[in-house]
Amino acid sequence: MKKSAFIILALLISKSTLLYSQTFDLSGTILDENEKPISFANLSLQEISISSICDNKGRYSFSSLPEGTYHLHVSHTGYQNKTLIVMINNEESSLNIILEKSLIETQTIDVTSSFNPTSISNSTFSVTSIETRTLSRIRNGNISSTIQNIPGINNLSTGGSIGKPVIRGLTYQCVLIVHDGVKHESQLWGDEHGPEISLFDIDRIEILRGPASLKYGADGIGGVVNIITKPLQFSGNNKIISYGNIDLNGFSVNNEGVGNLLFGLGTKNFGLKGYSGYRRSNDINTPDGQLTINTPDGQKTIQGGKLFNSGDEEFQAGVTMGLKGKFGNLSASYENFTRKLQLHDDPEEDPTATPNQKILTNHFELKTNIRFNKQFQLEPIVSYEQQSRKEFESIQALEEDKQALNLNLKVFQGDLRLHHNISGNIAGTFGGSVIINSNRSLAEEKLIPNYNGNSFGIYLLEKYEKKYFTVSGGIRFDSKNLNIKETVFEMDENGDPLKVIDPRILNFNSVTGSLGMVYKPDTDIDVYANIGRGWRPPSEFELFVDGVHEGTNRFDKGLITLDSNYKANPEESFNIDVGTRIRGKFFNGEFSFFRNLVNHFIYPSPTGDVDSSSGLQIFDIKQDQSSFIGFEYNMQFQPASWMLLTVKGDYVNTKNKETNDPLPFTPPSKNLLELKIQKESIGKFYNAYLILGSKIVSAAIRVDPLEAVTDGYTLFNAGFGFDYIISRSVASVDFSISNLTDKKYVDHLSRYRYYAMNPGRSYNLNITVPFQF
């Protein structure tokens, strides 16, 4: 079978080379409105993931491009982003591009909602993108905390190092983390399990709000966080180019230091880059003094200061190589993520407790884009990931390698997509995907059984575009097979099994789809609507957990643990999303409203009983219907050439239809205001800016019965920064102060909120120095 597949792939490549043997060049100049050259603008061709930077005279070039239609994305600080559709169909194409001056951060491209890059004006989904320059300014300790101020997005935190994205009230495995089109797997069912993805070598982050099962299959009924790495750079001639960047970050709140070096080489048809980063932090500082908070057991006074045992250490590294030519392009990459985490415990239980984690992830990926002709492209993607997650009850146990929990996860993913562009108006993708995974629980604690799993899906997506409207729709079928192995959960003092998970096979199937439309009454106004259906099969934890879960301080019992004959159902979501986007030189806004109904929603329910051995309350995992209703808004005003005002926020209402109660960890509404003053040049400094902002979070009053009411709070922040031209690149320096007034507060989405305050005032410094030879 493998040999046959290899022969077929080789024939396809050979055929594509014969049918599609010509390549062409694209060049031009980036200009401002007065037709003056713009230096060092960033350009990228989305379909083939290659990038370039224009020189100090605004000149750029791409060489050896296969004939076809591409989305060319251009960005530069102080100017509106621009995406153009360019057709490469002759020996050499010349295209000059004019950018308009503006402080408004305009989104122009969407690569997350469909299989092909789409101009944002034709996207039927609610999507937000964070570009490279903004990322360098707001980059935080993890992905979730970096994006938490986006409307509709929140951070379910465990200290400063672990964060889970919450999208429209849904989190855990209801939110997909995707890295360059590949689903990220890292035991995300765990409360204190965060995604292990590097914060470096990132070009941008896109967040899709709403179900994304059509493109990615199971999970993601709440949305997707898509991390997109920086494209390879190739030389426009026969010379070799060298490029890279140095990133340095510092945060005073936990004495955190971060350093990263990226270096790349490019010839006309070959590219190579690699990076290596290190991050280390000490204990988190919270405001001094006392704060009275609410807990499920009543009011309580907590003490500020350092959070004992809350530091961490990370090492991240990766390498990517790629080829481009007449057949298309090919890339291969490897990433390593190593993390050591300390977890702060309730000091009233044990002020000297030192629980910790040690995580190692290795990820391999191979991606190809084979261009048969202008109408058809074949895109195979394969990846393999291995993750080792070890948890220890103390530092001494770590040193002695006495593991409380040891999970070993292996995941293979494959996706084969055939993209077609039948005409200038009709395009789409037909494809299939497969995932094969296995987990082994190797330590004494067994929260999930040993298992082998496999799933496959087939899908079809079509899009029809006209001048005033776009219609897109698709359908997908998925099947998941779960082979549970015999697993001993508990033994007596003689080593005889007391609690055993018997072997069994479980199957889950689902048909999902979406239908959306964009109406454009004006070139700068989009009105969009989307109806989508997503699904998520129950996790192994939700099915089989039977014991103390240290991460939640509960004794949990899974769906099948409670009833061995229980027929577990997948979560099934039905989402309606309606919104509008308004673009202008001095105003930009987006407003969206949604309703997401989830059948068979899985949640923990208190029984009122207490486990005699641990003394913890027993929770049963249940399934019922739940609803999520809310809205988001984001408005940017530019009343003067040097001033930008941003107002944005969100609201979500959740409800368990069985109990009429809100769901756990429902985010309170938030509103953010920001004033930015920016000047194009001050001496040798460019785009110098000053930012003043505030974040207003409402009290969490309607809460799940398991939770306590949390008071609202207002945080203030300030910052300044600038760009500086070094040789042939633009360096950036950003300094900020978060929690400017050292506010004492607890966040409703902090898992420490019943015994520790959130971090206090922090002075933050981010420095990025690109270089090119």
Side-chain angles (χ1 to χ4, degrees), residues 37-170:
I38 299 174
S39 304
F40 310 118
N42 297 291
L43 303 95
S44 62
L45 289 167
Q46 299 296 310
E47 280 76 3
I48 51 179
S49 297
I50 63 174
S51 65
S52 182
I53 300 175
C54 68
D55 62 20
N56 60 348
K57 295 183 180 180
R59 297 171 301 194
Y60 73 91
S61 65
F62 292 97
S63 64
S64 302
L65 299 177
E67 184 178 0
T69 302
Y70 302 92
H71 284 81
L72 176 61
H73 181 62
V74 188
S75 64
H76 191 281
T77 304
Y79 294 84
Q80 284 193 353
N81 294 339
K82 196 167 190 175
T83 297
L84 301 93
I85 297 176
V86 296
M87 297 184 66
I88 307 298
N89 54 12
N90 53 43
E91 291 186 2
E92 184 174 352
S93 297
S94 179
L95 177 65
N96 294 336
I97 302 169
I98 296 176
L99 299 183
E100 295 182 353
K101 287 187 177 181
S102 178
L103 301 182
I104 294 176
E105 298 173 358
T106 308
Q107 182 179 348
T108 62
I109 196 76
D110 166 19
V111 302
T112 303
S113 64
S114 63
F115 294 98
N116 295 299
T118 301
S119 298
I120 194 65
S121 62
N122 292 323
S123 176
T124 64
F125 287 83
S126 178
V127 179
T128 297
S129 177
I130 308 176
E131 300 284 339
T132 306
R133 181 63 184 91
T134 302
L135 272 174
S136 68
R137 177 171 63 86
I138 68 172
R139 184 169 50 229
N140 214 314
N142 56 67
I143 290 289
S144 186
S145 61
T146 297
I147 65 175
Q148 63 182 334
N149 291 328
I150 299 297
I153 315 301
N154 289 278
N155 177 27
L156 177 58
S157 66
T158 303
S161 302
I162 302 176
K164 290 178 178 292
V166 181
I167 301 182
R168 292 180 169 178
L170 286 162

Side-chain angles (χ1 to χ4, degrees), residues 8-25:
I8 291 172
L9 182 60
L11 288 173
L12 287 173
I13 295 175
S14 175
K15 184 179 179 181
S16 70
T17 304
L18 292 173
L19 294 178
Y20 209 55
S21 59
Q22 287 185 299
T23 61
F24 308 101
D25 298 337

Side-chain angles (χ1 to χ4, degrees), residues 54 58 71 279 389 408 485 513 599 645 670 722:
C54 68
H71 284 81
R279 183 170 79 91
R389 175 180 293 275
N408 190 282
K485 304 296 185 180
N599 290 321
L645 178 63
K670 68 174 185 284
F722 56 85

